[in-house]
Amino acid sequence: MKPCLFLAIETSCDETSVAIFDEQLKVHANVVASQNRWHERFGGVVPEVAARAHMELLTPAIAQALAQAGLTISQINAVAVHNGPGLAGALLVGLSAAKMIALGLGVPLIGVNHVHSHLYACRMSAGRDIFPCVGLVVSGGHTILFDCQSPLMMKRLGGTIDDAAGEAFDKVANLLGLGFPGGPALEAAAIGGDPGAYAFPRSFFHEERLDFSFSGLKTAVLYSFAPPGVDRGSVVVSPDQRADIAASFQEAVIDVLARKCLQALKLTGHRRLAVGGGVTANEALRQRLQGDCQRAGVELFIPEHGLCTDNAAMAALAVEWWKEERFSGLDLDIRSTVF
Ligand code: KG4
Ligand code: ZN
């Protein structure tokens, strides 16, 4: 295999990220510029604000990644970009920059599916092949189960019919007044809480279908402290009650995620499970999956923390396309929905 240095761009949502890696999957730089300060006053990601923030943050992030890797742009041999799924305006910023660099340098451009990259992050952290496996992506935008035959062949088995798991974390954190971003805040609030205090719903738990639904859970959380007809702004939730609600909510999400993984493993016959996406930063989820997989004799792959939430290094999935010499044309477009 001839040596190749890749520059990768991620702008699908609210992290502006640029990475440099090589064909051996060695990461030379992985710069992640958070946009939290742009979005926190709105309590969530505003698509138009995200696109504008990417425009401001991307060029400095490219310069920083090159500096960290000790390289100049002319040493880059290929450009990878997450061209979807994600926010249309945000994706366009990254894709336009990637095309410009590839065209300017005269090097291949490789469009990569962001959701598949979340699973490839497991391959990168493992340092060895993890395929075939069941893959679960749990992020702010997606909750999808895959039958992963290979890095380039991931077949969807099921997914959420409404909110994504991370989105539920964010919305429930918001209901509990925990601020933005909600996932880590909710995990912290759950510490010391009783996960059995509230019997929140676990959708499709006793069904074989490999789908998820979290919007009813979110409503159940709201009604646990502000029943219908009661203005939630007028309700005072004590710190103990908040910890119990947070812990019970987290437990309900983890219960269904773990259950559906085990069902997917049974259905496919795979003995390996790869779980990626921002929610895998959650320690309680990691521990549950570790225990369940150990008992079931299944090998578990979860990315190291830096590769769980959105980042450009996981776009090293492009290396697999590159090995097959399957490149994108300059007519590559964004794809805002799952593909
Ligand atoms: O993968 P990611 O960075 O972006 C998307 O592709 O959507 O995931 C972000 C999501 C957010 O919803 C965030 O609240 C959630 O991951 N998240 C967590 C934790 N850290 C991030 N959820 C639960 N516990 C965490 N520790
Ligand atoms: Zn993501």
Side-chain angles (χ1 to χ4, degrees), residues 12 114 118 139 142 277-278 309-310 314:
S12 70
H114 173 103
H118 272 304
S139 67
H142 307 282
T309 45
D310 286 348
M314 67 188 190

Side-chain angles (χ1 to χ4, degrees), residues 6-335:
F6 296 74
L7 182 133
I9 296 177
E10 149 61 31
T11 61
S12 70
C13 189
D14 63 335
E15 325 283 355
T16 311
S17 181
V18 178
I20 293 169
F21 45 81
D22 60 34
E23 81 292 345
Q24 302 291 332
L25 302 181
K26 180 170 182 246
V27 178
H28 298 247
N30 189 19
V31 173
V32 182
S34 165
Q35 297 184 0
N36 283 349
R37 69 183 172 84
W38 295 64
H39 301 286
E40 60 195 352
R41 72 193 164 105
F42 302 107
V45 178
V46 182
E48 181 60 22
V49 172
R52 284 166 192 269
H54 285 307
M55 294 213 299
E56 195 168 311
L57 298 171
L58 186 54
T59 307
I62 293 170
Q64 199 184 335
L66 287 167
Q68 269 181 23
L71 297 168
T72 61
I73 192 87
S74 58
Q75 290 170 280
I76 296 297
N77 311 109
V79 180
V81 62
H82 285 143
N83 64 314
L87 304 171
L91 287 165
L92 269 176
V93 178
L95 180 59
S96 309
K99 283 183 182 177
M100 196 174 65
I101 297 168
L103 182 66
L105 295 176
V107 300
L109 172 73
I110 303 171
V112 181
N113 182 318
H114 173 103
V115 171
H116 295 176
S117 287
H118 272 304
L119 294 177
Y120 200 72
C122 298
R123 156 72 183 89
M124 296 175 74
S125 284
R128 64 188 164 94
D129 192 16
I130 65 165
F131 301 94
C133 63
V134 164
L136 171 70
V137 176
V138 261
S139 67
H142 307 282
T143 304
I144 310 179
L145 271 164
F146 291 96
D147 178 347
C148 308
Q149 293 296 331
S150 74
L152 302 182
M153 257 216 298
M154 299 188 189
K155 184 175 157 262
R156 189 183 188 280
L157 294 170
T160 183
I161 60 163
D162 42 52
D163 293 348
E167 190 179 359
F169 266 92
D170 293 333
K171 287 178 176 170
V172 166
N174 197 288
L175 288 176
L176 295 175
L178 295 170
F180 175 85
L186 196 130
E187 179 174 19
I191 293 170
D194 174 6
Y198 295 84
F200 289 135
R202 285 139 169 88
S203 296
F204 309 135
F205 196 79
H206 296 291
E207 295 176 42
E208 281 187 15
R209 61 189 282 191
L210 296 173
D211 290 322
F212 306 88
S213 167
F214 295 109
S215 74
L217 170 59
K218 175 192 65 192
T219 309
V221 169
L222 172 64
Y223 288 174
S224 71
F225 65 92
V230 173
D231 171 21
R232 72 177 155 107
S234 67
V235 179
V236 180
V237 179
S238 72
D240 282 353
Q241 189 186 0
R242 194 160 64 180
D244 284 348
I245 296 173
S248 301
F249 161 79
Q250 185 170 267
E251 186 78 355
V253 175
I254 292 173
D255 273 355
V256 286
L257 293 177
R259 168 100 172 174
K260 292 295 158 190
C261 284
L262 291 175
Q263 287 178 325
L265 285 160
K266 201 170 155 200
L267 181 83
T268 57
H270 293 322
R271 309 303 300 156
R272 291 164 167 174
L273 174 66
V275 188
V279 182
T280 52
N282 187 286
E283 205 44 51
L285 174 64
R286 295 169 86 99
Q287 280 177 15
R288 168 71 69 85
L289 292 172
Q290 262 151 20
D292 282 2
C293 285
Q294 210 164 23
R295 269 188 297 281
V298 166
E299 233 181 325
L300 175 66
F301 299 96
I302 300 185
E304 62 204 65
H305 276 276
L307 294 181
C308 286
T309 45
D310 286 348
N311 67 88
M314 67 188 190
L317 175 54
V319 172
E320 305 287 344
W321 292 112
W322 174 83
K323 280 186 202 161
E324 302 209 346
E325 296 188 24
R326 287 162 72 183
F327 308 135
S328 308
L330 285 174
D331 58 349
L332 180 68
D333 204 353
I334 58 151
R335 299 179 72 169

